Amino acid sequence: MTIENTDPDLVFHPLKKIEIIVKGDKKQFVADLLDRAGAKGYTLVRDVAGMGEHGFHEGRLLFNDQASLVMFMAVASDDTIRRVAAGLKPLFEKNTGVMFISDAKVVRLEHFLKKEQAQG
Amino acid sequence: MTIENTDPDLVFHPLKKIEIIVKGDKKQFVADLLDRAGAKGYTLVRDVAGMGEHGFHEGRLLFNDQASLVMFMAVASDDTIRRVAAGLKPLFEKNTGVMFISDAKVVRLEHFLKKEQAQG
Amino acid sequence: MTIENTDPDLVFHPLKKIEIIVKGDKKQFVADLLDRAGAKGYTLVRDVAGMGEHGFHEGRLLFNDQASLVMFMAVASDDTIRRVAAGLKPLFEKNTGVMFISDAKVVRLEHFLKKEQAQG
């Protein structure tokens, strides 16, 4: 990413973005996990539907047609995102859900990192 | 992307993410295309609005003010995403809509690839 | 990103994607900013909630619990995205809100760039 900045205040800091899509009844679990893992906030998109296989039942694929889901978006350090991913793994072994990780840049680093990380 | 993993089960696999924004009445077309192209699932965000030019009419730009749209998100292999993009091209030549492609990482590769791809 | 194309019409052009999350009452400000900065359109996701600290009040963190927010998504040139980021900075100094910038690819460059940019 090459966004040139002549304004020294407009620096783009690299972080990781995670998008997590889970059933509505797992919302609190994910919110707590993000908090414990060190994320300083999140965005929640409601009224999300999903389609995908979520396991086998008597040899047939069950499809999860348009289930009511929520999508979390959070941006944080690599360490925080890794902790979130590790915490979601057992959830996803038994429940519908996916997560995507990507690179993102932010302007105000202190809004996404705990105080000690932003200074370090 | 450098997420270090000491947990060998927590590997981040690189895939492509596609976001597709179309009018609500094109929802089934896109869902079928994703399926045929090899995507194993998708997330659908409803209650999406869009603003953009969608053609010229008698020399004036027509704006598509706050039309009712849906947004699809899907993560899949390069080949699948390329097939989706090729399949959307004729739609976008006549209709409102956009698609964005980006890099994303996932933990559970088998949730995003058809069986032969995940093994290959 | 290595999406191989044998179809010469299916070229993936690199641009920047910006996601902006603000309170609903700042919607018009952001829409106008995107327009002035050179974005040719945007996608708006309504019914978005957010959780995060948004300032100190008498030494205590205030949390913005589930406020009603909107999320803008726009894809444009580096220059446009930098102008949008610069224009949002004063807003974010006083108000709840975040923005993320990431790399994205599009097929139809002319849908995202002003005429002179697409030709240049």
Side-chain angles (χ1 to χ4, degrees):
Chain A
M1 177 130 75
T2 57
I3 294 183
E4 299 167 350
N5 288 296
T6 50
D7 176 356
D9 287 343
L10 200 62
V11 177
F12 294 87
H13 304 276
L15 289 173
K16 293 281 176 282
K17 181 170 77 164
I18 190 164
E19 288 160 304
I20 304 163
I21 296 133
V22 292
K23 280 192 178 170
D25 63 0
K26 296 293 179 293
K27 192 169 80 169
Q28 196 56 51
F29 175 89
V30 176
D32 291 346
L33 175 62
L34 285 167
D35 184 39
R36 286 199 319 274
K40 280 188 73 178
Y42 58 81
T43 300
L44 186 68
V45 183
R46 294 177 286 220
D47 196 16
V48 170
M51 169 71 89
E53 56 190 287
H54 65 117
F56 286 86
H57 178 68
E58 298 181 347
R60 297 197 322 116
L61 278 175
L62 290 180
F63 276 86
N64 164 35
D65 188 346
Q66 310 291 332
S68 176
L69 306 174
V70 291
M71 177 166 67
F72 284 85
M73 296 173 53
V75 167
S77 69
D78 281 23
D79 281 352
T80 291
I81 296 300
R82 195 170 59 212
R83 281 192 291 268
V84 173
L88 287 172
K89 219 172 159 242
L91 177 73
F92 288 159
E93 274 157 20
K94 294 189 183 164
N95 294 276
T96 300
V98 288
M99 66 175 164
F100 316 134
I101 296 165
S102 54
D103 292 316
K105 303 221 169 189
V106 301
V107 171
R108 298 186 310 170
L109 202 57
E110 72 278 13
H111 280 237
F112 299 94
L113 299 182
K114 300 281 186 192
K115 199 173 278 183
E116 61 275 26
Q117 293 177 300
Q119 293 171 337
Chain B
M1 177 129 73
T2 57
I3 294 183
E4 299 167 351
N5 289 296
T6 50
D7 176 357
D9 287 343
L10 200 62
V11 177
F12 294 87
H13 304 277
L15 288 173
K16 293 281 175 283
K17 181 170 78 164
I18 189 163
E19 288 160 305
I20 304 163
I21 295 131
V22 292
K23 280 193 178 172
D25 63 0
K26 295 293 180 290
K27 193 169 80 169
Q28 196 56 48
F29 175 88
V30 176
D32 291 345
L33 174 63
L34 286 166
D35 184 39
R36 285 200 320 274
K40 281 189 72 179
Y42 58 79
T43 299
L44 186 69
V45 182
R46 293 176 287 219
D47 197 14
V48 170
M51 170 69 91
E53 56 190 285
H54 64 118
F56 286 87
H57 178 69
E58 299 182 347
R60 295 198 323 116
L61 277 176
L62 290 181
F63 275 86
N64 164 33
D65 187 347
Q66 310 291 329
S68 176
L69 306 174
V70 292
M71 177 167 64
F72 284 85
M73 296 172 53
V75 167
S77 69
D78 281 23
D79 281 350
T80 291
I81 297 300
R82 195 169 59 211
R83 281 192 291 269
V84 173
L88 286 172
K89 216 171 162 244
L91 178 73
F92 288 159
E93 275 158 18
K94 294 192 184 164
N95 294 275
T96 300
V98 288
M99 67 175 165
F100 316 135
I101 296 164
S102 54
D103 292 315
K105 302 223 170 188
V106 300
V107 171
R108 298 185 310 167
L109 201 57
E110 73 278 12
H111 280 236
F112 298 95
L113 299 183
K114 300 281 186 193
K115 200 173 276 181
E116 62 273 30
Q117 293 177 299
Q119 291 171 338
Chain C
M1 176 130 71
T2 57
I3 294 184
E4 299 166 351
N5 288 298
T6 49
D7 177 356
D9 286 343
L10 200 62
V11 177
F12 294 87
H13 305 276
L15 289 173
K16 294 281 175 281
K17 181 170 78 164
I18 190 163
E19 288 159 306
I20 304 163
I21 296 133
V22 292
K23 281 192 179 171
D25 62 0
K26 295 293 180 292
K27 194 170 77 168
Q28 195 57 49
F29 175 88
V30 176
D32 290 346
L33 175 61
L34 285 167
D35 183 40
R36 285 199 319 274
K40 280 188 71 178
Y42 58 80
T43 300
L44 186 69
V45 182
R46 293 175 287 218
D47 197 16
V48 170
M51 169 72 89
E53 56 189 288
H54 65 118
F56 285 86
H57 179 70
E58 299 181 347
R60 296 197 322 115
L61 279 175
L62 291 180
F63 275 85
N64 164 33
D65 187 349
Q66 310 292 329
S68 176
L69 306 174
V70 292
M71 177 168 63
F72 284 85
M73 296 171 53
V75 167
S77 70
D78 281 23
D79 281 351
T80 291
I81 296 300
R82 194 169 61 211
R83 281 192 290 267
V84 173
L88 287 172
K89 220 175 160 240
L91 178 72
F92 288 159
E93 274 158 19
K94 294 191 183 165
N95 295 275
T96 300
V98 288
M99 66 174 163
F100 316 135
I101 295 164
S102 54
D103 292 315
K105 302 221 171 188
V106 301
V107 172
R108 296 185 311 168
L109 201 57
E110 73 278 13
H111 280 236
F112 299 95
L113 299 183
K114 300 282 188 192
K115 199 173 278 183
E116 62 275 25
Q117 293 177 300
Q119 292 171 336

